[in-house]
């Protein structure tokens, strides 16, 4: 039995209401969820906050896990959405706490790692997309899911997924080009 099989078994048992399986599942997936959140959010504390939100969403939504897609695919969707939601919440909090003071300038590449600055730019660009485009692009380009997995997860034809990803990439590329120069 592989680790993935064990996770799928725990997810199935948790979806049927087994509280001990849910506890074991949350403990087993936490490191992966934190790693995935860290791929989107450059600040460790923000990634940890998104991780907690994602784990809570899994706990609350496990009864709706149907097994149509693999548990990991379902988990990736929840995690990507929670990381993007955490970013939007933190951004709104900054605007309220700053009392109308504009957001800081984009990260200075001389003082910020290229990776962190790039992730912030990507989050801004994703936030500007329609949700269905942002979700498809995040699942493909950030979390590395295959087109077929994304199509199964979203309940869409693979061609529609490819079209959404193509359009999302075009819009993100345009936004990043405009921001850069």
């Amino acid at each position: 039995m592989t680790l993935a099989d064990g996770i799928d078994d725990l997810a199935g048992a948790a979806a049927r209401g087994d509280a001990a399986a849910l506890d074991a599942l949350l403990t087993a997936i936490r490191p992966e969820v934190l790693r995935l959140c860290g791929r989107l959010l450059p600040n460790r504390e923000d990634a940890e906050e998104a991780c907690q939100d994602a784990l809570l969403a899994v706990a609350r939504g496990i009864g709706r896990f149907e097994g149509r897609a693999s548990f990991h695919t379902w988990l990736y969707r929840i995690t990507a959405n929670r990381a993007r939601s955490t970013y939007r919440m933190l951004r709104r909090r900054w605007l309220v706490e700053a009392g109308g003071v504009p957001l800081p300038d984009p990260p200075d590449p001389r003082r910020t790692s290229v990776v962190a600055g790039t992730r912030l730019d990507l989050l801004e660009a994703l936030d500007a997309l329609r949700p269905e485009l942002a979700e498809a692009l995040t699942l493909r380009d950030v979390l590395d899911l295959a087109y077929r997995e994304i199509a199964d997860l979203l309940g869409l034809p693979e061609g529609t997924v490819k079209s959404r990803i193509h359009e999302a990439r075009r819009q993100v590329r345009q936004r990043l080009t405009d921001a850069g120069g």
Side-chain angles (χ1 to χ4, degrees), residues 87 90-96 98 100-106 124 127 175:
Y87 171 74
L90 292 168
R91 189 167 177 259
R92 280 192 305 273
R93 186 186 306 160
W94 163 263
L95 290 171
V96 168
V101 173
L103 285 170
D105 290 333
E124 283 292 318
D127 204 36
R175 185 169 175 89

Side-chain angles (χ1 to χ4, degrees), residues 52-62 64 74 78 82:
Q52 290 303 314
D53 288 347
L55 293 173
L56 183 60
V58 167
R60 288 182 174 162
I62 193 68
R64 293 187 301 276
W74 183 78
I78 288 173
R82 296 314 312 154

Side-chain angles (χ1 to χ4, degrees), residues 68-79:
R68 194 176 45 169
S70 78
F71 173 75
H72 274 88
T73 302
W74 183 78
L75 176 66
Y76 285 10
R77 181 181 194 187
I78 288 173
T79 301

